Amino acid sequence: MFDPVIAPSGTLLGLLQRGRGDGTLHALTAPRAEALAALNHCVLRDPRHDWQVENRSLYYARLYLDLHGELDAIEAHLFDSEDVLDTDETRTGLALAVLGHLASYGRRDALHLLRRYAAHGSNWAWALDELALRDDDAGLRSLAAPVLARFATDAEGEAELAAAVRDAFEPRPWRLWADDPRASIATRVRAAQEAGCFDRWQRQMRSTGPRPGWSVQAVFDWAQQGLERGTALHVPAARCLGAVAGPEDRPAIVRAARDGTEGARCTALRYLADSNDPDALDLIEAAVATGPAAVTDAAVDAFERMRSVAAVDRARGWARRPDALGAAAGRVLACRGGTRDRDLVLAALREAVRGEGPDAPTLWTLVDGTGRLGIACAAPVLRHVYRETASSHLRGRAARALAATDPSFPAGFAVECLWDCEETTRELAARHAETGDTRVVERLRRLAADPAEEAEVQTAVRSRIGPEGTAV
């Protein structure tokens, strides 16, 4: 999947793509046709950089309800000829998830569209998972025949069916079909269930990983073999070293960290850092200076995991370095530094935004650290990150940091956060938003009554609403 093109944050489309609360508020005051066009654009062209962790589906589903939006555009997208040519689940996953939420709100058109796509669409497994949570038994049983018809009855087809049953995210439909009164349905599904369980057992028995009795050198060789195959194994290899290495093996491990193969160096550095070995910090610095990219990355990651006083002291000396180790030092201080480190963390935050922009991966840790340390003068930078980042998770972290550093947050960003796409951000807003704004009180009441809202959000909402529905 290609990275999505995100519109400017000041536009309706840009706000909706980011999942900001202001996106909903602006859409509800914009011309309906314009708002629906922007909403359909987002749902049909997933704007998330990481669809596995960022939420948008409930956010967009609620806006469809508020706008009384038709589902014609989603239907055309799902059943376009492209569905046969491009079977990547990211093409249709967001649209199917939105339909799932709409079905839970009682939209029968969404439910019927999901059923139809589960029977005929390429990404049928996702649609079936959505239906497993929302449809009744009769609706699910009606899909048994069309779903099973996707799999040939020869050995290859039965193996594919067993894999589909084994890997299903929601098992409810398959359990229903295993008890189907039609013998042709129930027999195939039960056989697939048994084959899936047997395959899982076989895969466990065929493991090629470490075995009891492995030597330190055998662990290093395993890590190197993985690297040559394009698979980084130094993290599990370091855990293996913890099981097989004794005090007498330390010289060999230090030697491997200094001049071993790439796999061995990565493994040894991780092991020594996790063990708080006295030579670990010097070896990490040397690896960053002389090692290839894989070793440098492993050294930086190993350093960031260290929690000793010595590691924090070394971070203070490295924080101004213009390299990966300097950036890591800033993150270490953000996580484990004290009030004396505020200036270094603030400098790292500003440099990251200036050099890499509002979506830099390093900002996640630095933004958290800014809030943890209460760096009040960082509020302008945090507001910039909040407005501009395309990551709804990073925006939520910026909101949390603003709540700890910016006195204007309760009457400002906290209000729009009540409509945010991330439940953790809505929960934060429910605890901080200034109830003098009539929109806040109305929104709190709606969230409290919404059956699709997360329990944590509703708990926070109820802490702000009195027994008679008045804000407290």
Side-chain angles (χ1 to χ4, degrees):
M1 178 180 177
F2 295 103
D3 283 339
V5 176
I6 304 298
S9 61
T11 64
L12 174 59
L13 178 59
L15 290 170
L16 290 178
Q17 286 177 316
R18 289 168 172 80
R20 277 183 57 180
D22 258 4
T24 295
L25 297 175
H26 280 63
L28 294 177
T29 58
R32 181 172 178 273
E34 178 187 341
L36 281 174
L39 176 57
N40 285 328
H41 184 283
C42 293
V43 173
L44 307 186
R45 301 169 184 82
D46 195 336
R48 295 170 292 182
H49 284 282
D50 190 344
W51 63 272
Q52 293 180 304
V53 298
E54 292 189 48
N55 296 313
R56 291 290 190 282
S57 54
L58 179 59
Y59 172 84
Y60 293 142
R62 283 171 167 169
L63 190 50
Y64 270 112
L65 291 176
D66 291 338
L67 295 172
H68 304 287
E70 303 84 3
L71 304 181
D72 296 349
I74 293 181
E75 182 179 10
H77 177 73
L78 292 179
F79 294 100
D80 188 89
S81 58
E82 188 71 16
D83 191 59
V84 177
L85 303 173
D86 182 3
T87 58
D88 192 316
E89 62 183 6
T90 58
R91 194 190 81 84
T92 54
L94 179 57
L96 294 171
V98 169
L99 290 177
H101 283 298
L102 288 173
S104 69
Y105 279 116
R107 286 281 297 259
R108 300 292 297 179
D109 52 347
L111 183 65
H112 293 316
L113 197 50
L114 276 174
R115 288 175 180 169
R116 183 178 157 210
Y117 188 82
H120 304 289
S122 295
N123 193 12
W124 62 271
W126 191 313
L128 188 61
D129 284 338
E130 296 292 340
L131 289 167
L133 298 173
R134 280 109 182 172
D135 208 352
D136 55 28
D137 288 356
L140 290 175
R141 287 196 180 98
S142 70
L143 293 171
V147 168
L148 291 183
R150 294 175 177 276
F151 303 94
T153 55
D154 57 14
E156 183 179 354
E158 297 298 348
E160 292 174 353
L161 175 59
V165 175
R166 183 195 66 216
D167 299 335
F169 191 73
E170 293 291 341
R172 180 179 163 227
W174 302 102
R175 290 173 180 167
L176 279 174
W177 299 342
D179 295 327
D180 197 283
R182 293 165 291 183
S184 60
I185 299 292
T187 302
R188 286 193 75 189
V189 173
R190 288 174 184 169
Q193 289 174 328
E194 293 173 1
C197 293
F198 181 70
D199 180 63
R200 190 176 292 112
W201 174 78
Q202 280 190 315
R203 285 191 296 175
Q204 293 171 344
M205 296 298 292
R206 289 195 301 263
S207 173
T208 59
R211 295 284 193 277
W214 269 30
S215 66
V216 167
Q217 186 57 49
V219 173
F220 287 151
D221 292 342
W222 179 61
Q224 181 61 24
Q225 291 165 9
L227 199 63
E228 291 169 357
R229 294 193 305 267
T231 304
L233 296 176
H234 64 276
V235 174
R239 290 198 295 267
C240 291
L241 278 187
V244 305
E248 69 279 3
D249 296 306
R250 181 181 178 277
I253 296 173
V254 171
R255 192 161 52 250
R258 186 178 295 114
D259 53 20
T261 62
E262 285 189 35
R265 289 188 76 180
C266 294
T267 301
L269 288 167
R270 179 72 169 229
Y271 170 80
L272 293 171
D274 287 353
S275 305
N276 282 321
D277 188 277
D279 289 337
L281 291 165
D282 291 336
L283 289 168
I284 287 171
E285 187 172 21
V288 171
T290 64
V295 173
T296 297
D297 292 344
V300 169
D301 289 343
F303 169 59
E304 286 195 62
R305 288 173 54 82
M306 298 183 72
R307 284 161 170 73
S308 64
V309 173
V312 175
D313 285 341
R314 191 70 67 97
R316 294 184 178 113
W318 287 344
R320 299 190 186 280
R321 289 176 55 137
D323 60 6
L325 194 54
R331 294 191 293 270
V332 168
L333 295 178
C335 291
R336 292 179 280 282
T339 54
R340 60 183 282 199
D341 302 309
R342 287 176 173 174
D343 290 344
L344 291 173
V345 174
L346 178 59
L349 176 70
R350 287 172 171 164
E351 180 59 31
V353 173
R354 183 167 48 245
E356 302 179 58
D359 290 311
T362 190
L363 286 176
W364 291 50
T365 304
L366 293 175
V367 164
D368 284 351
T370 301
R372 183 181 73 83
L373 296 172
I375 308 176
C377 57
V381 183
L382 293 173
R383 293 190 203 108
H384 173 75
V385 173
Y386 177 95
R387 292 190 188 97
E388 300 299 328
T389 182
S391 167
S392 54
H393 272 206
L394 178 55
R395 181 176 65 252
R397 290 169 180 256
R400 193 177 306 113
L402 284 168
T405 60
D406 186 1
S408 70
F409 178 74
F413 285 138
V415 175
E416 76 154 281
C417 285
L418 287 170
W419 285 264
D420 197 87
C421 66
E422 296 292 341
E423 65 267 17
T424 53
T425 306
R426 296 195 298 275
E427 179 186 356
L428 178 78
R431 299 189 185 282
H432 289 87
E434 179 59 62
T435 55
D437 190 324
T438 55
R439 295 176 303 169
V440 171
V441 178
E442 180 183 349
R443 182 62 175 172
L444 289 174
R445 288 172 179 158
R446 182 170 177 178
L447 291 176
D450 191 334
E453 188 51 82
E454 296 291 334
E456 293 81 0
V457 178
Q458 292 194 326
T459 298
V461 167
R462 292 182 182 116
S463 72
R464 303 292 304 281
I465 297 179
E468 297 181 357
T470 57
V472 295

